[in-house]
Amino acid sequence: MQLTRFTDYALRVLIFVAHRQGRHTTIKDVSDAHEISEDHLMKVVQRLAALGYLKATRGKNGGIGAARAPADISIGRVVRDVEPLAPVECFAGAYDGRCILFPNCALRGALQSAQLQYLKALDAYSVADVMGTGIPPATRGLRASARDPVSPRKPRRAPARDT
């Protein structure tokens, strides 16, 4: 499963705001930190505020803040709330029946089962779990290298060649 940029940015905003708990935070702060367009983040923040994840204040001294404690925000719930969860056409509510396999196809059931397992795995994590301040519950007891196989290091630049 692949998340849309919108969902990726929504999760980044929630984590960023959680790290800055109690401090004035703006969309520009998030934009600068993640190098994301402020216009795009504005849409993300509006959606998160409408869903009750963020408090947003407009105006000169406006900003954004968490409307819930990071431990109370399920990653799976956020994904369900902001991600268009239709991996294939027949999942969509406005399915037009173009697929000739639809009446007898088991692919839909297989993908639905996979999607439910994917979301169930994400339900095990809260924003607090993914903030980098502790060990997420699903990985407790694993070695650090098994917990985090991808290092957050920046890619190395290739050495300059003499020509």
Side-chain angles (χ1 to χ4, degrees), residues 33-87:
H34 291 282
E35 298 178 355
I36 300 170
S37 156
E38 284 184 57
D39 291 335
H40 197 71
L41 282 175
M42 183 84 65
K43 295 172 192 171
V44 171
V45 167
Q46 286 173 344
R47 180 80 185 274
L48 291 172
L51 291 167
Y53 293 110
L54 294 177
K55 295 179 285 185
T57 309
R58 291 179 172 224
K60 183 179 175 184
N61 295 317
I64 56 176
R68 303 181 198 170
D72 295 337
I73 300 174
S74 160
I75 299 298
R77 181 78 263 151
V78 174
V79 170
R80 283 179 185 87
D81 286 345
V82 301
E83 183 73 17
L85 294 171

Short mmCIF file of all heavy atoms in Angstrom, two decimals, residues 33-87:
data_model
loop_
_atom_site.label_atom_id
_atom_site.label_comp_id
_atom_site.label_asym_id
_atom_site.label_seq_id
_atom_site.Cartn_x
_atom_site.Cartn_y
_atom_site.Cartn_z
N ALA A 33 10.65 23.38 7.84
CA ALA A 33 11.30 22.19 8.38
C ALA A 33 11.28 21.02 7.40
O ALA A 33 12.24 20.27 7.29
CB ALA A 33 10.64 21.78 9.69
N HIS A 34 10.18 20.89 6.67
CA HIS A 34 10.01 19.73 5.78
C HIS A 34 10.17 20.08 4.30
O HIS A 34 10.03 19.19 3.45
CB HIS A 34 8.65 19.07 6.01
CG HIS A 34 8.55 18.39 7.33
ND1 HIS A 34 9.12 17.16 7.57
CD2 HIS A 34 7.97 18.76 8.49
CE1 HIS A 34 8.87 16.80 8.82
NE2 HIS A 34 8.19 17.76 9.40
N GLU A 35 10.39 21.37 4.02
CA GLU A 35 10.51 21.83 2.64
C GLU A 35 9.31 21.41 1.81
O GLU A 35 9.42 20.78 0.76
CB GLU A 35 11.82 21.33 2.02
CG GLU A 35 13.05 21.86 2.73
CD GLU A 35 14.36 21.34 2.16
OE1 GLU A 35 14.34 20.49 1.24
OE2 GLU A 35 15.40 21.80 2.63
N ILE A 36 8.13 21.77 2.33
CA ILE A 36 6.85 21.49 1.69
C ILE A 36 6.16 22.82 1.42
O ILE A 36 6.24 23.74 2.24
CB ILE A 36 5.95 20.61 2.60
CG1 ILE A 36 6.64 19.28 2.92
CG2 ILE A 36 4.60 20.37 1.97
CD1 ILE A 36 5.93 18.48 4.00
N SER A 37 5.44 22.91 0.33
CA SER A 37 4.71 24.11 -0.02
C SER A 37 3.73 24.51 1.07
O SER A 37 2.96 23.69 1.57
CB SER A 37 3.94 23.86 -1.33
OG SER A 37 2.84 24.71 -1.46
N GLU A 38 3.76 25.79 1.45
CA GLU A 38 2.81 26.29 2.46
C GLU A 38 1.36 26.15 1.97
O GLU A 38 0.47 25.87 2.77
CB GLU A 38 3.10 27.76 2.78
CG GLU A 38 4.29 27.95 3.67
CD GLU A 38 4.49 29.40 4.07
OE1 GLU A 38 3.55 29.99 4.65
OE2 GLU A 38 5.58 29.94 3.80
N ASP A 39 1.14 26.37 0.68
CA ASP A 39 -0.22 26.25 0.13
C ASP A 39 -0.75 24.83 0.31
O ASP A 39 -1.91 24.63 0.67
CB ASP A 39 -0.25 26.64 -1.35
CG ASP A 39 0.01 28.12 -1.58
OD1 ASP A 39 -0.27 28.92 -0.66
OD2 ASP A 39 0.48 28.47 -2.67
N HIS A 40 0.10 23.85 0.03
CA HIS A 40 -0.34 22.46 0.19
C HIS A 40 -0.58 22.15 1.67
O HIS A 40 -1.57 21.51 2.03
CB HIS A 40 0.70 21.51 -0.41
CG HIS A 40 0.17 20.14 -0.65
ND1 HIS A 40 -0.74 19.86 -1.64
CD2 HIS A 40 0.40 18.98 0.00
CE1 HIS A 40 -1.04 18.57 -1.60
NE2 HIS A 40 -0.36 18.01 -0.61
N LEU A 41 0.32 22.62 2.52
CA LEU A 41 0.16 22.38 3.96
C LEU A 41 -1.09 23.05 4.51
O LEU A 41 -1.71 22.53 5.44
CB LEU A 41 1.39 22.86 4.72
CG LEU A 41 2.59 21.94 4.67
CD1 LEU A 41 3.78 22.58 5.36
CD2 LEU A 41 2.28 20.58 5.29
N MET A 42 -1.47 24.18 3.94
CA MET A 42 -2.68 24.87 4.38
C MET A 42 -3.89 23.94 4.23
O MET A 42 -4.72 23.82 5.13
CB MET A 42 -2.90 26.13 3.55
CG MET A 42 -4.09 26.96 3.97
SD MET A 42 -3.74 28.06 5.33
CE MET A 42 -2.58 29.15 4.57
N LYS A 43 -3.98 23.25 3.11
CA LYS A 43 -5.08 22.31 2.87
C LYS A 43 -5.04 21.15 3.87
O LYS A 43 -6.06 20.72 4.39
CB LYS A 43 -5.02 21.76 1.45
CG LYS A 43 -5.24 22.80 0.38
CD LYS A 43 -4.98 22.23 -0.99
CE LYS A 43 -4.92 23.33 -2.02
NZ LYS A 43 -4.46 22.85 -3.32
N VAL A 44 -3.84 20.65 4.12
CA VAL A 44 -3.66 19.54 5.06
C VAL A 44 -4.09 19.97 6.45
O VAL A 44 -4.85 19.27 7.13
CB VAL A 44 -2.19 19.05 5.05
CG1 VAL A 44 -1.94 18.06 6.17
CG2 VAL A 44 -1.83 18.44 3.70
N VAL A 45 -3.63 21.14 6.89
CA VAL A 45 -3.96 21.65 8.23
C VAL A 45 -5.46 21.90 8.36
O VAL A 45 -6.07 21.57 9.39
CB VAL A 45 -3.13 22.91 8.55
CG1 VAL A 45 -3.67 23.63 9.78
CG2 VAL A 45 -1.67 22.53 8.76
N GLN A 46 -6.07 22.46 7.33
CA GLN A 46 -7.52 22.69 7.37
C GLN A 46 -8.27 21.38 7.56
O GLN A 46 -9.21 21.30 8.34
CB GLN A 46 -7.99 23.39 6.09
CG GLN A 46 -7.60 24.84 6.02
CD GLN A 46 -7.93 25.47 4.67
OE1 GLN A 46 -8.17 24.79 3.68
NE2 GLN A 46 -7.92 26.80 4.65
N ARG A 47 -7.84 20.35 6.85
CA ARG A 47 -8.50 19.04 6.96
C ARG A 47 -8.30 18.45 8.36
O ARG A 47 -9.24 17.94 8.98
CB ARG A 47 -7.96 18.11 5.89
CG ARG A 47 -8.55 16.72 5.89
CD ARG A 47 -9.92 16.69 5.20
NE ARG A 47 -10.54 15.41 5.29
CZ ARG A 47 -10.34 14.40 4.46
NH1 ARG A 47 -9.51 14.52 3.44
NH2 ARG A 47 -10.96 13.27 4.63
N LEU A 48 -7.07 18.52 8.87
CA LEU A 48 -6.79 17.98 10.20
C LEU A 48 -7.55 18.75 11.28
O LEU A 48 -8.00 18.15 12.26
CB LEU A 48 -5.28 18.00 10.48
CG LEU A 48 -4.43 17.03 9.68
CD1 LEU A 48 -2.95 17.29 9.90
CD2 LEU A 48 -4.80 15.59 9.99
N ALA A 49 -7.72 20.04 11.10
CA ALA A 49 -8.49 20.84 12.06
C ALA A 49 -9.97 20.46 11.98
O ALA A 49 -10.63 20.30 13.01
CB ALA A 49 -8.29 22.33 11.79
N ALA A 50 -10.49 20.28 10.78
CA ALA A 50 -11.89 19.90 10.61
C ALA A 50 -12.16 18.52 11.22
O ALA A 50 -13.27 18.27 11.73
CB ALA A 50 -12.26 19.90 9.13
N LEU A 51 -11.17 17.66 11.19
CA LEU A 51 -11.31 16.31 11.76
C LEU A 51 -11.07 16.28 13.27
O LEU A 51 -11.23 15.25 13.91
CB LEU A 51 -10.34 15.35 11.07
CG LEU A 51 -10.67 15.02 9.61
CD1 LEU A 51 -9.48 14.32 8.95
CD2 LEU A 51 -11.91 14.15 9.53
N GLY A 52 -10.64 17.42 13.84
CA GLY A 52 -10.44 17.50 15.28
C GLY A 52 -9.07 17.08 15.77
O GLY A 52 -8.87 16.89 16.97
N TYR A 53 -8.11 16.94 14.87
CA TYR A 53 -6.75 16.58 15.28
C TYR A 53 -5.93 17.81 15.68
O TYR A 53 -5.03 17.72 16.50
CB TYR A 53 -6.00 15.85 14.15
CG TYR A 53 -6.57 14.49 13.85
CD1 TYR A 53 -7.24 14.25 12.66
CD2 TYR A 53 -6.41 13.43 14.73
CE1 TYR A 53 -7.76 13.00 12.36
CE2 TYR A 53 -6.92 12.18 14.46
CZ TYR A 53 -7.59 11.97 13.27
OH TYR A 53 -8.10 10.73 12.99
N LEU A 54 -6.23 18.95 15.05
CA LEU A 54 -5.50 20.19 15.31
C LEU A 54 -6.44 21.31 15.70
O LEU A 54 -7.62 21.30 15.33
CB LEU A 54 -4.74 20.65 14.05
CG LEU A 54 -3.60 19.80 13.54
CD1 LEU A 54 -3.05 20.41 12.25
CD2 LEU A 54 -2.50 19.68 14.57
N LYS A 55 -5.87 22.28 16.42
CA LYS A 55 -6.55 23.56 16.66
C LYS A 55 -5.81 24.55 15.77
O LYS A 55 -4.58 24.61 15.80
CB LYS A 55 -6.42 24.00 18.11
CG LYS A 55 -7.11 23.10 19.10
CD LYS A 55 -6.90 23.61 20.51
CE LYS A 55 -5.47 23.28 20.92
NZ LYS A 55 -5.12 23.59 22.29
N ALA A 56 -6.55 25.32 15.00
CA ALA A 56 -5.92 26.30 14.12
C ALA A 56 -6.52 27.67 14.42
O ALA A 56 -7.73 27.82 14.53
CB ALA A 56 -6.14 25.92 12.66
N THR A 57 -5.64 28.65 14.56
CA THR A 57 -6.05 30.02 14.83
C THR A 57 -5.53 30.90 13.70
O THR A 57 -4.35 30.84 13.37
CB THR A 57 -5.47 30.52 16.17
OG1 THR A 57 -5.77 29.56 17.18
CG2 THR A 57 -6.03 31.86 16.54
N ARG A 58 -6.43 31.70 13.13
CA ARG A 58 -6.03 32.59 12.04
C ARG A 58 -5.56 33.93 12.59
O ARG A 58 -5.78 34.25 13.74
CB ARG A 58 -7.22 32.84 11.11
CG ARG A 58 -7.61 31.62 10.33
CD ARG A 58 -8.81 31.93 9.46
NE ARG A 58 -9.07 30.82 8.58
CZ ARG A 58 -9.36 30.93 7.31
NH1 ARG A 58 -9.45 32.12 6.76
NH2 ARG A 58 -9.57 29.87 6.59
N GLY A 59 -4.93 34.68 11.71
CA GLY A 59 -4.57 36.04 12.08
C GLY A 59 -3.10 36.21 12.35
O GLY A 59 -2.29 35.29 12.21
N LYS A 60 -2.76 37.44 12.75
CA LYS A 60 -1.38 37.84 12.96
C LYS A 60 -0.63 36.91 13.93
O LYS A 60 0.50 36.53 13.70
CB LYS A 60 -1.33 39.27 13.47
CG LYS A 60 0.05 39.81 13.65
CD LYS A 60 0.03 41.24 14.14
CE LYS A 60 1.43 41.73 14.43
NZ LYS A 60 1.44 43.07 14.99
N ASN A 61 -1.25 36.57 15.01
CA ASN A 61 -0.63 35.69 16.00
C ASN A 61 -1.18 34.26 15.92
O ASN A 61 -1.12 33.52 16.90
CB ASN A 61 -0.83 36.26 17.41
CG ASN A 61 -0.11 37.57 17.58
OD1 ASN A 61 1.03 37.70 17.14
ND2 ASN A 61 -0.77 38.54 18.18
N GLY A 62 -1.70 33.92 14.76
CA GLY A 62 -2.30 32.61 14.57
C GLY A 62 -1.27 31.50 14.56
O GLY A 62 -0.06 31.74 14.53
N GLY A 63 -1.75 30.30 14.57
CA GLY A 63 -0.88 29.14 14.55
C GLY A 63 -1.66 27.87 14.66
O GLY A 63 -2.90 27.87 14.59
N ILE A 64 -0.94 26.78 14.81
CA ILE A 64 -1.58 25.47 14.94
C ILE A 64 -1.06 24.77 16.18
O ILE A 64 0.06 25.00 16.62
CB ILE A 64 -1.34 24.60 13.69
CG1 ILE A 64 0.15 24.43 13.38
CG2 ILE A 64 -2.07 25.16 12.48
CD1 ILE A 64 0.48 23.51 12.22
N GLY A 65 -1.91 23.94 16.73
CA GLY A 65 -1.54 23.16 17.90
C GLY A 65 -2.35 21.88 17.94
O GLY A 65 -3.35 21.74 17.25
N ALA A 66 -1.92 20.96 18.74
CA ALA A 66 -2.61 19.69 18.87
C ALA A 66 -3.93 19.88 19.60
O ALA A 66 -4.00 20.59 20.59
CB ALA A 66 -1.74 18.69 19.62
N ALA A 67 -4.97 19.26 19.08
CA ALA A 67 -6.27 19.28 19.74
C ALA A 67 -6.42 18.06 20.64
O ALA A 67 -7.33 18.00 21.46
CB ALA A 67 -7.39 19.31 18.71
N ARG A 68 -5.53 17.08 20.47
CA ARG A 68 -5.53 15.86 21.27
C ARG A 68 -4.10 15.53 21.67
O ARG A 68 -3.15 15.93 21.01
CB ARG A 68 -6.06 14.67 20.46
CG ARG A 68 -7.43 14.85 19.89
CD ARG A 68 -7.82 13.59 19.15
NE ARG A 68 -8.91 13.85 18.25
CZ ARG A 68 -9.33 12.99 17.34
NH1 ARG A 68 -8.72 11.83 17.21
NH2 ARG A 68 -10.33 13.29 16.56
N ALA A 69 -3.96 14.76 22.70
CA ALA A 69 -2.63 14.30 23.12
C ALA A 69 -2.08 13.35 22.05
O ALA A 69 -2.84 12.56 21.48
CB ALA A 69 -2.72 13.58 24.46
N PRO A 70 -0.78 13.41 21.78
CA PRO A 70 -0.18 12.52 20.77
C PRO A 70 -0.48 11.04 21.02
O PRO A 70 -0.69 10.28 20.07
CB PRO A 70 1.32 12.81 20.89
CG PRO A 70 1.41 14.18 21.44
CD PRO A 70 0.21 14.33 22.36
N ALA A 71 -0.56 10.64 22.26
CA ALA A 71 -0.85 9.23 22.58
C ALA A 71 -2.28 8.84 22.23
O ALA A 71 -2.59 7.66 22.10
CB ALA A 71 -0.58 8.96 24.06
N ASP A 72 -3.15 9.84 22.06
CA ASP A 72 -4.56 9.58 21.74
C ASP A 72 -4.86 9.64 20.26
O ASP A 72 -6.02 9.51 19.85
CB ASP A 72 -5.45 10.59 22.48
CG ASP A 72 -5.38 10.43 23.99
OD1 ASP A 72 -5.02 9.33 24.46
OD2 ASP A 72 -5.66 11.43 24.69
N ILE A 73 -3.85 9.85 19.42
CA ILE A 73 -4.06 9.92 17.97
C ILE A 73 -3.48 8.66 17.33
O ILE A 73 -2.27 8.47 17.28
CB ILE A 73 -3.40 11.18 17.38
CG1 ILE A 73 -3.98 12.44 18.01
CG2 ILE A 73 -3.60 11.21 15.86
CD1 ILE A 73 -3.29 13.72 17.59
N SER A 74 -4.36 7.81 16.86
CA SER A 74 -3.97 6.56 16.20
C SER A 74 -3.54 6.85 14.76
O SER A 74 -4.25 7.52 14.01
CB SER A 74 -5.16 5.60 16.20
OG SER A 74 -5.01 4.61 15.22
N ILE A 75 -2.39 6.31 14.38
CA ILE A 75 -1.92 6.47 13.01
C ILE A 75 -2.91 5.82 12.03
O ILE A 75 -3.24 6.39 10.99
CB ILE A 75 -0.50 5.86 12.82
CG1 ILE A 75 0.51 6.56 13.73
CG2 ILE A 75 -0.07 5.90 11.36
CD1 ILE A 75 0.71 8.03 13.47
N GLY A 76 -3.42 4.66 12.39
CA GLY A 76 -4.41 3.99 11.55
C GLY A 76 -5.66 4.83 11.34
O GLY A 76 -6.21 4.90 10.24
N ARG A 77 -6.11 5.49 12.41
CA ARG A 77 -7.31 6.34 12.30
C ARG A 77 -7.04 7.54 11.39
O ARG A 77 -7.89 7.90 10.58
CB ARG A 77 -7.71 6.81 13.71
CG ARG A 77 -8.94 7.68 13.76
CD ARG A 77 -10.24 6.89 13.65
NE ARG A 77 -10.73 6.89 12.29
CZ ARG A 77 -11.45 5.93 11.71
NH1 ARG A 77 -11.79 4.85 12.38
NH2 ARG A 77 -11.85 6.01 10.49
N VAL A 78 -5.87 8.14 11.52
CA VAL A 78 -5.52 9.28 10.66
C VAL A 78 -5.53 8.83 9.20
O VAL A 78 -6.11 9.50 8.34
CB VAL A 78 -4.16 9.89 11.04
CG1 VAL A 78 -3.74 10.97 10.03
CG2 VAL A 78 -4.19 10.47 12.44
N VAL A 79 -4.90 7.70 8.93
CA VAL A 79 -4.86 7.19 7.55
C VAL A 79 -6.27 6.95 7.04
O VAL A 79 -6.61 7.34 5.92
CB VAL A 79 -3.98 5.93 7.45
CG1 VAL A 79 -4.13 5.25 6.08
CG2 VAL A 79 -2.52 6.27 7.72
N ARG A 80 -7.13 6.33 7.84
CA ARG A 80 -8.51 6.11 7.42
C ARG A 80 -9.24 7.43 7.14
O ARG A 80 -10.05 7.51 6.23
CB ARG A 80 -9.28 5.36 8.51
CG ARG A 80 -9.00 3.89 8.59
CD ARG A 80 -9.82 3.27 9.73
NE ARG A 80 -9.51 1.88 9.94
CZ ARG A 80 -8.54 1.42 10.72
NH1 ARG A 80 -7.78 2.26 11.40
NH2 ARG A 80 -8.33 0.14 10.85
N ASP A 81 -8.94 8.44 7.96
CA ASP A 81 -9.65 9.72 7.83
C ASP A 81 -9.19 10.56 6.64
O ASP A 81 -9.98 11.34 6.11
CB ASP A 81 -9.48 10.55 9.11
CG ASP A 81 -10.32 10.03 10.26
OD1 ASP A 81 -11.24 9.20 10.03
OD2 ASP A 81 -10.05 10.45 11.41
N VAL A 82 -7.94 10.43 6.22
CA VAL A 82 -7.45 11.32 5.17
C VAL A 82 -7.05 10.62 3.87
O VAL A 82 -6.93 11.27 2.84
CB VAL A 82 -6.28 12.22 5.64
CG1 VAL A 82 -6.69 13.07 6.81
CG2 VAL A 82 -5.05 11.42 5.96
N GLU A 83 -6.87 9.33 3.90
CA GLU A 83 -6.41 8.59 2.72
C GLU A 83 -7.60 8.05 1.92
O GLU A 83 -8.51 7.46 2.49
CB GLU A 83 -5.53 7.42 3.18
CG GLU A 83 -4.93 6.60 2.08
CD GLU A 83 -3.81 7.31 1.34
OE1 GLU A 83 -3.26 8.30 1.85
OE2 GLU A 83 -3.48 6.86 0.23
N PRO A 84 -7.57 8.24 0.59
CA PRO A 84 -8.60 7.60 -0.23
C PRO A 84 -8.29 6.10 -0.31
O PRO A 84 -7.35 5.70 -1.00
CB PRO A 84 -8.47 8.28 -1.59
CG PRO A 84 -7.09 8.83 -1.62
CD PRO A 84 -6.66 9.06 -0.19
N LEU A 85 -9.02 5.30 0.43
CA LEU A 85 -8.69 3.87 0.56
C LEU A 85 -9.42 3.02 -0.48
O LEU A 85 -10.33 2.26 -0.16
CB LEU A 85 -9.02 3.39 1.98
CG LEU A 85 -8.18 4.01 3.08
CD1 LEU A 85 -8.72 3.64 4.45
CD2 LEU A 85 -6.72 3.58 2.95
N ALA A 86 -9.03 3.14 -1.72
CA ALA A 86 -9.60 2.34 -2.80
C ALA A 86 -8.46 1.84 -3.68
O ALA A 86 -8.13 2.46 -4.68
CB ALA A 86 -10.59 3.17 -3.61
N PRO A 87 -7.83 0.70 -3.29
CA PRO A 87 -6.67 0.22 -4.05
C PRO A 87 -7.00 -0.19 -5.48
O PRO A 87 -6.15 -0.17 -6.35
CB PRO A 87 -6.16 -0.96 -3.23
CG PRO A 87 -7.29 -1.39 -2.40
CD PRO A 87 -8.14 -0.17 -2.18
#
